Amino acid sequence: MRETVNTVDEAVVSAAERLDTARLTGVPCAPVRELLPPGDLAAAYAVQTVLGERRRAEGRRITGWKIGLTSAAVQTQLGVDRPDFGRLTDDMAVPDGADIPWGAVLQARAEAEVALVLEHDLTHERHTVADVIRATAFALPAVEVVGSRIRDWDITAVDTIADNASSGAYVLGTRPVPLRELELRTAGMVLERQGEPVSTGAGAACLGNPLHAAVWLADTLVRLGHPLRAGDTVLTGALGPMTTVEPGDVLEARIDGLGSVRAAFGRTGREGDTR
């Protein structure tokens, strides 16, 4: 039994090394599922935790969490029956409309989401939608810039979970809106590139309601021993299909009741970016 545990631990470290090397060099790597036990999501989250601790050792601060795989179609595609999550750090936050240097997020794609900013901790074993509403200070429109350290986005659920749920960067709008003023389930979304729609959707595309996704995350993180805390930002999941991006693109997301937010991409990178 101990040999099996040691083997898994070694595999977790090897997978973390592969992904971190891709991040630091800017060169996408081979999938990590070949290093981990087949279909072992717990091992994948262990890789994510190792990488998160490395980021903390570099001086990064956790600013919240992102929820992925909130679309039933994507879950089916990757062979899972639930969402996943990843950590957000302070260096991933980009001001509305500021340039994201090209290459700072490997193989970048973008999607529009609802972000919740918490005013109170969520520490119950099981949460309700009312608990989430009560704990939320306000909502903001968001563009999540997803990326993959894995070459050609050749991913399974194990790969994306290990790779911090394919996180990259995030941009938040600047007009906070109380949840009492919103109907998130029916809120429509359009994501445009230079005025042309590239993705449309609504709150119902995110587990039926972005608040449902937040409940799932709150319950899951309590079970894992690190519950959602006051001040955390929660990216609740995509409201429509993700879109590819190119150097120089400017994407604007508009969500009913929340307003708009822009993600802009530079034409060149910069030295010293952390990818």
Side-chain angles (χ1 to χ4, degrees):
M1 181 67 174
R2 182 172 297 277
E3 289 184 5
T4 300
V5 172
N6 288 341
T7 299
V8 173
D9 289 345
E10 291 171 4
V12 165
V13 171
S14 295
E17 287 287 350
R18 180 178 291 187
L19 289 166
D20 216 24
T21 298
R23 175 180 69 90
L24 293 170
T25 63
V27 179
C29 63
V32 296
R33 59 183 179 270
E34 62 192 35
L35 302 175
L36 300 172
D40 191 337
L41 301 188
Y45 277 116
V47 175
Q48 184 185 130
T49 298
V50 169
L51 293 172
E53 289 304 313
R54 291 187 181 191
R55 301 293 282 137
R56 286 167 61 91
E58 293 171 2
R60 300 275 64 93
R61 174 175 63 90
I62 291 180
T63 54
W65 304 83
K66 63 153 288 184
I67 307 170
L69 304 183
T70 53
S71 160
V74 175
Q75 289 181 12
T76 299
Q77 178 185 351
L78 295 185
V80 294
D81 60 359
R82 69 198 67 184
D84 69 352
F85 67 83
R87 293 156 170 80
L88 302 177
T89 53
D90 58 311
D91 58 330
M92 294 168 63
V94 178
D96 186 2
D99 268 5
I100 300 169
W102 189 250
V105 177
L106 288 183
Q107 305 181 111
R109 301 177 180 180
E111 52 195 28
E113 308 192 9
V114 173
L116 305 179
V117 180
L118 300 185
E119 186 174 16
H120 304 291
D121 298 350
L122 285 165
T123 58
H124 300 302
E125 183 178 348
R126 294 187 63 183
H127 295 86
T128 67
V129 168
D131 292 327
V132 170
I133 293 172
R134 200 162 37 234
T136 299
F138 52 83
L140 295 168
V143 173
E144 184 186 0
V145 182
V146 293
S148 183
R149 269 58 60 176
I150 295 170
R151 189 182 309 119
D152 299 326
W153 279 86
D154 178 12
I155 60 172
T156 64
V158 167
D159 295 298
T160 186
I161 289 170
D163 192 19
N164 199 30
S166 301
S167 62
Y170 66 100
V171 188
L172 300 178
T174 56
R175 184 176 71 90
V177 180
L179 288 181
R180 65 177 176 272
E181 298 179 12
L182 298 167
E183 173 47 80
L184 292 181
R185 184 183 68 82
T186 59
M189 177 279 296
V190 61
L191 181 64
E192 296 179 343
R193 175 187 292 114
Q194 277 89 341
E196 294 295 325
V198 293
S199 178
T200 59
C206 179
L207 287 188
N209 188 314
L211 296 176
H212 299 168
V215 168
W216 172 85
L217 179 67
D219 289 354
T220 299
L221 292 182
V222 166
R223 287 197 299 272
L224 295 175
H226 36 78
L228 289 169
R229 298 295 186 185
D232 280 349
T233 296
V234 176
L235 299 183
T236 54
L239 304 185
M242 70 171 64
T243 184
T244 57
V245 295
E246 300 292 341
D249 276 351
V250 178
L251 301 178
E252 182 168 3
R254 293 195 300 278
I255 301 173
D256 290 345
L258 282 174
S260 64
V261 59
R262 295 166 301 147
F265 296 84
R267 295 188 178 279
T268 59
R270 68 173 174 224
E271 293 184 1
D273 67 60
T274 60
R275 295 179 173 83

